[in-house]
Amino acid sequence: ARMSPAQAAAKAEAPAVDRALLAPYLAAEGLAENGSVPVYLNAEGEATGSHELRHIAWRLLEDVGVAIAAFNTPKALHCLAPNQQMETFLVLEHARRDPRVRALVWTSSGTRAFNSGAALKGDQNVYVPAEVVDAYRERGMAPVGDVVLSAQTKAFWDFPKPLVMAVNGLAVGGGANIALANFGDVIFCSRNARFMWPFAKLGLSPELGSSMMIPFLIGMSKAKELMLGGDWLTADEAARLGLVSAICEPEDLLPLAVAFAAKVAQNHPETTRCIKQVMNAPLRAQLEEVLQREQKFIMETIRATGGLGFPKTSKL
């Protein structure tokens, strides 16, 4: 039977999630197992295989309708390695298609880092099969070779289900943008979280839509201070500026995020999709142009400065 608005408002909170299930995410060495996700070579229809994840851990808490995706390369501070980028698309695509996933929590293992940004060194290989990369790229779900990660930015913006960011540590450059620049719908962070945009120091300029979103969120003067100065922004300051919804102790972060996601997951999926889409729509209409402009300017500064070591060896 259809509930009245009063009945819906009064319904019970989401069932509690056992905190013991979430404790392994705090381990400094990361999660022992990443798991796998189905892959979909076709735009519609059933999965055509599966991929054993290397850079991201995937868990489904089916009883509460919540999935957890966690960057899981703590030794590399969860940097944006090419394989991590491609696995991000695989995870978003599966989370979108799986009806058991009513809400998604995105975080990282450990308590030191959420995402340290560009992979300036280390493994540049991609371990997702080439035929999978090609099939996903045909429908805009794979990197396209630009510096501003336009496809990944749009994939997060267009993900139709509620996405809660649980920022557990430092977030730098592109990692700060994933954490704060509307890639997630609601953002919680631990007291360990801190944010930096070191673009000026690296001979780069804003990317991942941040040239639009950070000024929109905190005002132009403060945004330019952060982008030009490259100083750390603390969790407390991020909360004061309205960039995050709440801060908490590290051990409380994932329980808080999962509890909120489970609460939201009780709503009708079309309702949550429409809320996201109508609220994103005015800015989403500008995003294509913003990303094109960001790519133009970031290439100008890379040509002028050499990008100060920006990686040119990605296998994507």
Side-chain angles (χ1 to χ4, degrees):
R2 181 176 297 175
M3 291 187 293
S4 70
Q7 288 172 320
K11 69 182 178 180
E13 293 291 317
V17 175
D18 185 356
R19 290 175 68 105
L21 294 175
L22 306 178
Y25 287 86
L26 294 168
E29 65 274 17
L31 294 160
E33 300 289 338
N34 288 327
S36 63
V37 290
V39 296
Y40 306 85
L41 293 181
N42 302 311
E44 303 295 337
E46 298 297 317
T48 53
S50 65
H51 172 73
E52 291 291 328
L53 295 162
R54 286 173 173 251
H55 282 73
I56 300 175
W58 170 260
R59 304 286 189 272
L60 174 64
L61 308 178
E62 188 170 358
D63 57 332
V64 294
V66 174
I68 304 173
F71 296 134
N72 195 34
T73 53
K75 290 183 179 179
L77 302 182
H78 312 294
C79 66
L80 287 162
N83 193 70
Q84 184 208 85
Q85 293 179 42
M86 189 60 223
E87 288 187 349
T88 294
F89 289 100
L90 300 188
V91 167
L92 288 172
E93 180 75 348
H94 174 58
R96 179 183 71 82
R97 293 196 189 212
D98 189 343
R100 299 173 298 173
V101 179
R102 303 284 289 266
L104 177 61
V105 172
W106 205 286
T107 190
S108 295
S109 60
T111 59
R112 184 181 177 193
F114 174 75
N115 190 298
S116 59
L120 299 177
K121 58 183 179 179
D123 189 356
Q124 299 291 315
N125 291 304
V126 177
Y127 299 95
V128 179
E131 67 170 351
V132 175
V133 175
D134 291 343
Y136 276 58
R137 183 173 286 130
E138 285 182 4
R139 52 185 193 265
M141 289 295 287
V144 294
D146 58 5
V147 181
V148 302
L149 304 189
S150 60
Q152 185 166 320
T153 300
K154 290 182 285 186
F156 272 102
W157 274 70
D158 294 341
F159 181 70
K161 301 177 183 181
L163 197 158
V164 179
M165 285 288 175
V167 184
N168 58 311
L170 65 84
V172 177
N177 292 330
I178 292 170
L180 299 175
N182 205 43
F183 284 52
D185 302 302
V186 177
I187 305 160
F188 301 121
C189 71
S190 83
R191 298 195 183 278
N192 288 354
R194 51 188 178 137
F195 309 90
M196 181 196 284
W197 291 266
F199 299 131
K201 300 173 185 177
L202 295 176
L204 303 172
S205 55
E207 24 81 305
L208 283 78
S210 62
S211 65
M212 172 176 69
M213 283 309 305
I214 302 303
F216 176 82
L217 292 167
I218 65 174
M220 187 64 79
S221 178
K222 187 66 178 179
K224 287 180 178 176
E225 176 192 333
L226 293 171
M227 299 290 181
L228 292 168
D231 295 322
W232 285 106
L233 181 74
T234 67
D236 285 332
E237 181 75 353
R240 188 186 68 79
L241 291 170
L243 285 166
V244 302
S245 290
I247 57 176
C248 60
E249 297 303 321
E251 64 271 19
D252 296 327
L253 175 64
L254 200 52
L256 172 65
V258 170
F260 182 81
K263 176 183 177 180
V264 172
Q266 293 182 104
N267 298 308
H268 194 289
E270 276 300 289
T271 299
T272 55
R273 182 191 67 79
C274 288
I275 289 171
K276 282 190 60 161
Q277 189 167 346
V278 74
M279 294 181 76
N280 279 344
L283 294 169
R284 180 62 180 88
Q286 304 174 55
L287 187 60
E288 296 279 358
E289 182 180 353
V290 167
L291 291 165
Q292 291 173 13
R293 184 166 56 244
E294 287 182 344
Q295 178 67 14
K296 173 182 180 291
F297 280 101
I298 205 168
M299 293 310 298
E300 285 186 15
T301 188
I302 287 173
R303 284 192 293 268
T305 67
L308 302 185
F310 191 78
K312 304 174 180 65
T313 56
S314 169
K315 302 296 193 242
L316 279 170

